[in-house]
């Protein structure tokens, strides 16, 4: 999709989209389009209402946004329009944006329209490609204001989120650790970031013992994916952010095999997919910040070679870990990724993101991610950026009274308390143990928000959570 700004509809023919706020100061009976009226009894701009009419042989669709609409609401409304009205959008398309819109709202509109192209039927015989996906498709924006940059930014955000949707929704026999590593190498070349991948041998030489223990029972070779983005021509000194994402391509639970919810465990690399999408977007937007990212990718499988409950393993940091439960595998691969990040790259800010615990879903349901940090400034920065785009976070404590949950008799630390309480907190305490008291570390547990139900499909699927949030956090530092 490409954007073209046009001052009016002179000479245009095709489908015309007209988003309207309920309180917009337009007399809908007479204005909107020259000589054409929209009777306010039929359409008043109420949220979730639409009104179709003809204007000079063009089909017009007025789209109600309600009195005021937040970023996510606007984006969802336009995703719905692009999905449901696909057949109307094969023509030339124009969207009329009045001066009541802000640049951010235009970004949300365009982003939503492009997300509406997403179709979960990746393996169906019949593929119906959406017109918007044609790179030469021109979306005309009718406006007297300069919204080109905002619209183009909306396109870049949607492309990164669509990449996340594919990575999370494609099945685990396609999205293996190797697939993720190849994705990163390819996108690194395309968007401009460096990628280094440690396979089994290199990870062994490096001493990534906790990471390798998790992948032991799988046919799929684990891949420790390291990405580095350094902005070109940026003013020194650069801020440096470290991102770490959980990349478990499927979580059977291991020998502590899951008795519930296994079907959805292809989503267990959604934290990694948020980091992958964010790297694409950060590089695409050429943000003036240095970003180093690690996504440890492995499959937690059941096999004679699987690691065992009661094994003691040696992590990259040198700390020994007693395995209480092989289903608490995410924290093991993240422990090694966090220590590796700190030891080798020492970023000023460090954020990890993971579908880490069922406990966080029990606490917050599907509405917000759980946030853990000892740094109140980055807690606020993460929450403010998340609120702006509808990717919410709420903080839980990291008090030292929870430390006893991970104290082991045989090793330096254990991977699970063995108690069915405070699961998200004790997992965060475990990660904290491997962060060397990093002053600006935050952990986001996104098990409830990365994959879910909505109006766009019958089964659970990726939400894209984290791609935009991590990017905004980096951008607004
Ligand atoms: N991948 C799961 C967490 C999860 C749950 C992700 C629901 C997405 C949706 C994680 O590896 C896990 O199995 N956690 C266990 C830990 C327990 C065994 C200590 C959990 O939370 O039940
Ligand atoms: Zn697990
Ligand atoms: Zn898991």
């Amino acid at each position: 999709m490409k954007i073209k700004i046009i001052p009016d509809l002179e000479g245009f023919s095709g489908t015309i989209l007209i988003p309207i706020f309920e309180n917009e100061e337009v007399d809908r009976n007479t204005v909107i389009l020259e000589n054409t009226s929209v009777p306010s009894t039929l359409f008043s701009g109420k949220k979730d209402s639409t009104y179709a009419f003809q204007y000079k042989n063009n089909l017009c669709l007025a789209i109600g946004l309600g009195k005021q609409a937040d970023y996510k609401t606007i984006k969802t409304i336009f995703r719905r329009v692009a999905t449901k009205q696909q057949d109307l959008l094969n023509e030339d398309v124009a969207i009329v944006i009045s001066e009541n819109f802000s640049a951010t709202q235009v970004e949300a509109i365009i982003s939503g329209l492009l997300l509406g192209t997403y179709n979960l039927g990746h393996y169906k015989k019949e593929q119906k490609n959406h017109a918007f996906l044609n790179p030469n498709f021109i979306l005309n924006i009718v406006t007297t204001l300069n919204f080109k940059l905002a619209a183009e930014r909306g396109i870049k955000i949607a492309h990164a989120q669509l990449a996340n949707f594919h990575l999370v929704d494609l099945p685990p026999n396609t999205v293996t650790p190797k697939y993720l590593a190849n994705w990163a190498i390819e996108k690194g070349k395309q968007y401009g970031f460096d990628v280094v991948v440690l396979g089994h041998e290199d990870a062994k030489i490096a001493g990534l013992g906790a990471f390798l223990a998790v992948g032991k029972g799988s046919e799929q070779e684990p891949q420790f994916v390291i990405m580095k983005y350094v902005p070109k021509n940026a003013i020194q000194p650069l801020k440096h952010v470290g991102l770490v994402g959980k990349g478990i391509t499927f979580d059977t639970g291991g020998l502590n095999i899951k008795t519930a919810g296994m079907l959805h465990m292809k989503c267990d690399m959604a934290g990694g997919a948020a980091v992958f999408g964010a790297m694409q977007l950060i590089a695409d937007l050429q943000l003036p910040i240095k970003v180093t990212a690690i996504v440890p990718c492995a499959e937690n499988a059941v096999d004679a070679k699987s690691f065992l409950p009661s094994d003691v393993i040696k992590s990259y940091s040198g700390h020994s870990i007693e395995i209480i439960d092989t289903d608490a595998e995410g924290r093991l691969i993240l422990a090694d990724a966090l220590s590796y990040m700190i030891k080798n790259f020492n970023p000023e800010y460090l954020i990890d993101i993971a579908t880490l615990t069922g406990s966080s879903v029990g606490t917050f349901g599907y509405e917000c991610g759980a946030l853990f940090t000892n740094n109140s400034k980055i807690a606020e920065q993460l929450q403010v950026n998340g609120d702006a785009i509808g990717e919410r976070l709420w903080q839980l404590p990291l008090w030292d009274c929870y430390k006893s949950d991970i104290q082991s008799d045989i090793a330096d630390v254990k991977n699970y308390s063995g108690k069915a309480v405070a699961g998200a907190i004790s997992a965060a305490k475990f990660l904290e143990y491997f962060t060397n008291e990093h002053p600006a570390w935050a952990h986001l547990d996104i098990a409830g928000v990365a994959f879910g139900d909505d109006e766009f499909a019958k089964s659970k699927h990726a939400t894209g959570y984290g791609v935009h949030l991590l990017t905004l956090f980096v951008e607004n530092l």
Side-chain angles (χ1 to χ4, degrees):
M1 180 193 276
K2 288 197 177 82
I3 298 294
K4 189 174 164 198
I5 303 285
I6 55 175
D8 50 47
L9 284 163
E10 188 82 30
F12 176 84
S13 119
T15 300
I16 303 168
L17 305 176
I18 313 167
I20 295 177
F21 287 108
E22 200 173 342
N23 58 356
E24 215 168 333
E25 304 231 328
V26 176
D27 179 353
R28 265 173 295 275
N29 282 310
T30 52
V31 192
I32 300 182
L33 302 166
E34 184 196 340
N35 302 327
T36 305
S37 65
V38 178
S40 59
T41 43
L42 289 178
F43 179 79
S44 61
K46 269 201 172 44
K47 187 168 163 259
D48 295 332
S49 67
T50 50
Y51 177 73
F53 59 97
Q54 269 215 307
Y55 167 71
K56 293 185 179 166
N57 279 336
N58 298 313
L59 182 97
C60 293
L61 192 66
I63 300 152
L65 301 177
K67 291 208 168 65
Q68 13 158 280
D70 59 41
Y71 190 92
K72 194 174 177 185
T73 304
I74 295 181
K75 199 160 164 173
T76 306
I77 288 172
F78 283 88
R79 183 173 174 187
R80 189 181 304 135
V81 167
T83 305
K84 300 240 163 92
Q85 314 292 342
Q86 182 170 352
D87 294 338
L88 301 180
L89 303 172
N90 289 321
E91 321 267 318
D92 284 347
V93 179
I95 178 159
V96 180
I97 305 275
S98 76
E99 34 321 329
N100 293 328
F101 286 83
S102 69
T104 325
Q105 287 171 328
V106 174
E107 173 192 300
I109 291 174
I110 305 305
S111 220
L113 284 174
L114 200 50
L115 282 193
T117 62
Y118 186 64
N119 183 342
L120 214 52
H122 299 288
Y123 292 85
K124 284 187 184 294
K125 269 191 244 68
E126 264 171 50
Q127 296 285 331
K128 196 173 167 195
N129 258 342
H130 200 292
F132 287 175
L133 283 178
N134 179 342
N136 296 321
F137 180 90
I138 291 172
L139 179 69
N140 297 281
I141 302 188
V142 189
T143 175
T144 52
L145 299 174
N146 189 1
F147 283 137
K148 190 149 200 270
L149 273 182
E152 282 168 351
R153 185 180 154 92
I155 291 179
K156 290 179 178 176
I157 294 167
H159 276 310
Q161 289 170 328
L162 288 169
N164 170 287
F165 289 179
H166 282 86
L167 292 177
V168 176
D169 289 335
L170 286 175
N173 57 345
T174 292
V175 180
T176 58
K178 266 263 160 60
Y179 182 99
L180 292 175
N182 289 337
W183 185 94
I185 291 166
E186 196 184 303
K187 298 294 166 167
K189 281 188 201 134
Q190 191 181 338
Y191 289 92
F193 54 87
D194 291 331
V195 181
V196 175
V197 179
L198 310 185
H200 184 273
E201 269 318 296
D202 289 337
K204 205 168 160 189
I205 293 164
L208 293 161
F211 167 65
L212 287 174
V214 173
K216 263 175 76 184
S218 171
E219 283 287 306
Q220 307 296 338
E221 186 189 343
Q223 306 277 291
F224 196 79
V225 182
I226 305 166
M227 295 163 278
K228 295 175 204 164
Y229 165 75
V230 183
K232 289 189 205 87
N233 317 318
I235 316 140
Q236 305 290 337
L238 284 173
K239 285 182 178 150
H240 183 193
V241 179
L243 301 176
V244 169
K246 174 177 174 182
I248 294 291
T249 56
F250 196 76
D251 183 10
T252 63
L255 289 173
N256 292 105
I257 196 161
K258 284 190 182 295
T259 49
M262 198 201 293
L263 174 65
H264 302 307
M265 285 303 137
K266 68 175 179 183
C267 80
D268 216 17
M269 36 61 73
V275 169
F276 285 133
M279 286 306 281
Q280 171 178 321
L281 184 53
I282 288 163
D284 203 6
L285 295 171
Q286 298 190 16
L287 299 186
I289 303 223
K290 184 175 159 187
V291 184
T292 307
I294 299 182
V295 181
C297 302
E299 187 188 67
N300 188 20
V302 183
D303 185 79
K305 295 204 191 83
S306 295
F307 69 135
L308 307 174
S310 83
D311 271 355
V312 175
I313 59 174
K314 191 171 170 219
S315 67
Y316 179 79
S317 63
H319 301 306
S320 56
I321 306 171
E322 179 188 8
I323 304 302
I324 301 295
D325 195 311
T326 60
D327 199 9
E329 83 299 337
R331 65 198 73 181
L332 299 172
I333 65 167
L334 292 177
D336 271 2
L338 288 166
S339 337
Y340 192 95
M341 176 71 88
I342 293 167
K343 185 165 174 211
N344 295 283
F345 307 114
N346 194 26
E348 202 178 335
Y349 304 88
L350 177 56
I351 315 290
D352 76 73
I353 180 163
T355 50
L356 204 62
T357 66
S359 159
S360 73
V361 191
T363 307
F364 294 123
Y366 307 104
E367 302 307 328
C368 78
L371 163 67
F372 297 87
T373 177
N374 294 308
N375 181 318
S376 53
K377 190 157 174 241
I378 64 170
E380 195 194 335
Q381 285 167 317
L382 283 162
Q383 280 185 307
V384 166
N385 286 307
D387 287 347
I389 52 168
E391 294 186 16
R392 280 191 291 223
L393 286 167
W394 200 257
Q395 199 172 357
L396 291 174
L398 275 171
W399 299 318
D400 268 342
C401 51
Y402 290 102
K403 226 176 175 170
S404 58
D405 280 350
I406 54 162
Q407 274 160 0
S408 162
D409 287 321
I410 196 170
D412 295 325
V413 69
K414 62 183 179 186
N415 80 331
Y416 175 44
S417 65
K419 294 177 288 192
V421 293
I425 301 175
S426 53
K429 285 306 278 183
F430 182 89
L431 296 182
E432 183 193 38
Y433 189 83
F434 293 88
T435 56
N436 236 343
E437 298 182 358
H438 190 287
W441 161 70
H443 157 58
L444 317 183
D445 189 338
I446 59 161
V449 287
F451 195 71
D453 291 302
D454 64 23
E455 64 187 275
F456 297 108
K458 288 186 277 297
S459 52
K460 283 187 191 289
H461 54 278
T463 63
Y465 187 101
V467 173
H468 198 180
L469 171 63
L470 292 173
T471 306
L472 265 192
F473 171 79
V474 167
E475 186 171 31
N476 293 332
L477 268 177

